[in-house]
Amino acid sequence: MTDRDVFLPVGAQPTLDALVEQAIAAEELGYDRAWFPESWGRDAVTAITAAAERTDEIGLGTSIVNVYSRSPALLGQTAATLQEATDGRFRLGVGPSGPIVIENWHGMEFGNPLRRTRETIEVVKQVLSGEIVEYDGEYFDLDGFKLRCGAPDPIPPIDAAALGPKAVELVGRFADGWHAVNYTRGGIEDRLEDLERGADLGDRDVDDLRVTLSVGCCALEDAERANDLVAQHIAFYIGGMGTFYRDNLARQGYEDLAHEIHDSWQEDERDHAVELVKAELRDQMGAAGTPADARAQLEQFEEIDAVDAVYVSFPRGATTEEIHETMEALAP
């Protein structure tokens, strides 16, 4: 049975307490896991710690923390501490993010994200083992230290976000799960083949990897408002967040559409970009409309072979009340 998770908009909430209340609501509504993103708002670690204190059963995880702004050793320490704080409910989700955030917000060079992600995962796994970390990589050369507090039990799994074929293959080789973001229902199939190839290269069983698919959702009695919000959200990522999401959509068979949405957004023709999404893409990448319609659409994503979990993600423009209404409507 496919898990149903929820992706909490850390930065968009008016207060930290409001965010924690959403995690509590997600637990009461039966969601399997709450994922906490980290961009340029509240940090995910503090938010998860606060949520851990006020929840008992729901899984908690980062989706994602980037591999540039913290060292791999610190990420390992953080994962060990959060596993303790959550009483074993934590999953660490990492990824490279993108040059807009890494260079313009963190002030670091966005260099060789594949290699950096691989080395981060390998170092974090050594840290979490509790053994002395010995690592000689292109970016990191570590020797002589181990966790002073002892290894977490159980060791938290490490998931990675990835878009392109080689990035997804890397996840299959080295991580414990894949976060699939910005995919259509049909487009994810090719990348699942890349995940399996990576698992084979790493002499691993792909069935042991957790595939988590992000779905932009809005379920309101005002169906038009719900559709508009999800379409705006999709258009923003394709048009306004660099070229990675645009190129990822192009690889899924939407090359002309991806470039038209991107170019329209960049040229301040954003209403046109949103209309393009509504006409040709919204139902392939999101679940929106009345509660009944949105539930039926979300179930189509859950039926995709090899997807172990979907997480309900909320559009950027949704109010706190609309987020709660959607969370209730789409609860497991």
Side-chain angles (χ1 to χ4, degrees), residues 36 38 43-49 52 60-62 64-66 69-94 120 123-125 127-128 147-152 154-158:
F36 290 72
E38 186 174 82
D43 77 277
V45 177
T46 305
I48 289 175
T49 304
L60 301 170
T62 57
I64 61 165
V65 289
N66 75 74
S69 60
R70 297 178 179 88
S71 73
L74 179 56
L75 282 171
Q77 292 173 254
T78 300
T81 307
L82 286 175
Q83 184 71 317
E84 184 177 3
T86 63
D87 294 324
R89 293 182 280 148
F90 181 67
R91 288 184 80 100
L92 175 66
V94 301
T120 295
V123 171
V124 170
K125 285 192 172 185
V127 171
L128 293 175
L147 271 181
R148 192 175 182 183
C149 57
I155 292 175
I158 305 172

Side-chain angles (χ1 to χ4, degrees), residues 101-112:
V101 174
I102 299 307
E103 295 179 356
N104 296 343
W105 179 245
H106 294 289
M108 302 186 70
E109 181 184 354
F110 188 77
N112 199 348

